[in-house]
Amino acid sequence: MYINKEQYRRIKETLEKNAATLVAVSKIKPAEAIQELYGMGHRDFGENYVQELVDKQARLPPDIRWHFIGHLQSNKVKYIAPFVHLIHGIDSLKLLEEVAKQGLKNGRAIGVLLQVHIADEESKFGFDEADLLSPPFWERAAALKSVEIRGLMGMASFSDDQELVRKEFRGLKDLFDKLKDQVRQDHFNILSMGMSADYKTAVSEGSNMVRIGSILFGQRP
Ligand SMILES: *Cc1c(COP(=O)(O)O)cnc(C)c1O
């Protein structure tokens, strides 16, 4: 028994009301934990470390949709490019270009989200809002055919202050809406925000994809 099933049902209920997708964050947890949730019908799983993801992907069912949610180094994109469903943490044009290169090699368009720096903290990665509002960014991105920009991802401040967290999520939703008007592509439709501690706030501010680990699988060491 790895999964808190009651919690899973509660999360699913909240998300269904808002048409949001749950990415179950299984980093550091054993393949058996994933298998257990898979057995309950779940297919979207998120991992943070390339080697761990590659090992798990090889051992687990092929219809799992693997989300890479960690900080990705350009030189490691090639290991996950053949199978990854969605890369959440694209934080530079250089990384986006490398994903496109690997997409081309693998004969597929790889789905990605652009990570935006919204937290009141230095340590979190991501583009600034101004980078993404600049037309030259989108001109260069549009030239990359083997990558599909599906939307945005952000992490709020690690804080008990839910009003601060709410404000950060609201800012990201506003940016998402602006870019949707600007980009005008149907597949630009994912807003990944919210984790165990703040997913309810995120969903109430317009998130349609949450990444939840510890309240499902238990605390990580
Ligand atoms: C670990 C992680 C999560 C899940 O965090 P929990 O607090 O365990 O729900 C979500 N997003 C990212 C980017 C993470 O690294």
Side-chain angles (χ1 to χ4, degrees):
M1 279 279 291
Y2 291 95
I3 307 298
N4 183 333
K5 294 194 172 136
E6 187 47 44
Q7 187 68 265
Y8 179 64
R9 275 186 214 102
R10 237 176 301 161
I11 295 167
K12 291 287 281 185
E13 215 176 84
T14 303
L15 297 186
E16 262 156 34
K17 276 186 239 147
N18 296 278
T21 300
L22 169 64
V23 176
V25 177
S26 44
K27 62 183 174 204
I28 317 185
K29 299 294 172 181
E32 290 73 17
I34 296 173
Q35 197 76 60
E36 188 179 323
L37 197 54
Y38 179 90
M40 294 166 68
H42 200 76
R43 293 295 179 270
D44 289 275
F45 291 90
E47 291 283 337
N48 280 52
Y49 308 102
V50 168
Q51 189 57 52
E52 185 179 345
L53 171 53
V54 168
D55 291 347
K56 284 175 170 168
Q57 192 269 341
R59 290 183 56 191
L60 287 159
D63 61 338
I64 288 181
R65 291 183 289 270
W66 293 104
H67 297 246
F68 190 82
I69 65 171
H71 180 63
L72 184 57
Q73 291 170 292
S74 294
N75 61 352
K76 294 197 172 163
V77 176
K78 57 179 178 284
Y79 301 113
I80 62 172
F83 65 83
V84 70
H85 175 67
L86 188 65
I87 299 174
H88 289 229
I90 301 294
D91 59 0
S92 70
L93 192 56
K94 176 177 168 254
L95 181 58
L96 188 67
E97 285 169 346
E98 177 59 23
V99 172
K101 184 176 143 193
Q102 296 301 329
L104 198 62
K105 273 193 187 165
N106 286 276
R108 61 187 295 243
I110 301 176
V112 302
L113 303 178
L114 304 175
Q115 183 169 357
V116 186
H117 183 273
I118 56 170
D120 195 14
E121 289 159 25
E122 284 297 320
S123 59
K124 299 214 163 100
F125 294 100
F127 289 99
D128 287 324
E129 186 167 327
D131 302 331
L132 298 187
L133 288 169
S134 103
F137 173 86
W138 292 97
E139 282 156 23
R140 289 181 68 180
L144 306 171
K145 298 301 177 203
S146 43
V147 67
E148 191 165 79
I149 301 178
R150 302 290 318 272
L152 302 181
M153 178 269 215
M155 290 168 83
S157 297
F158 186 70
S159 165
D160 289 333
D161 180 353
Q162 285 300 307
E163 282 319 300
L164 172 67
V165 168
R166 183 178 292 283
K167 201 182 95 209
E168 291 169 354
F169 284 150
R170 190 167 290 172
L172 186 58
K173 173 65 160 66
D174 285 346
L175 177 63
F176 177 68
D177 289 340
K178 265 186 229 164
L179 291 176
K180 239 167 111 169
D181 284 346
Q182 188 180 312
V183 176
R184 290 184 183 283
Q185 281 176 337
D186 289 342
H187 61 248
F188 189 91
N189 58 12
I190 299 175
L191 180 57
S192 167
M193 60 183 196
M195 311 174 27
S196 289
D198 55 20
Y199 81 91
K200 287 181 186 160
T201 305
V203 165
S204 73
E205 291 298 334
S207 166
N208 61 19
M209 185 173 276
V210 300
R211 311 172 310 272
I212 293 182
S214 46
I215 59 171
L216 260 184
F217 292 106
Q219 290 296 333
R220 291 175 299 272

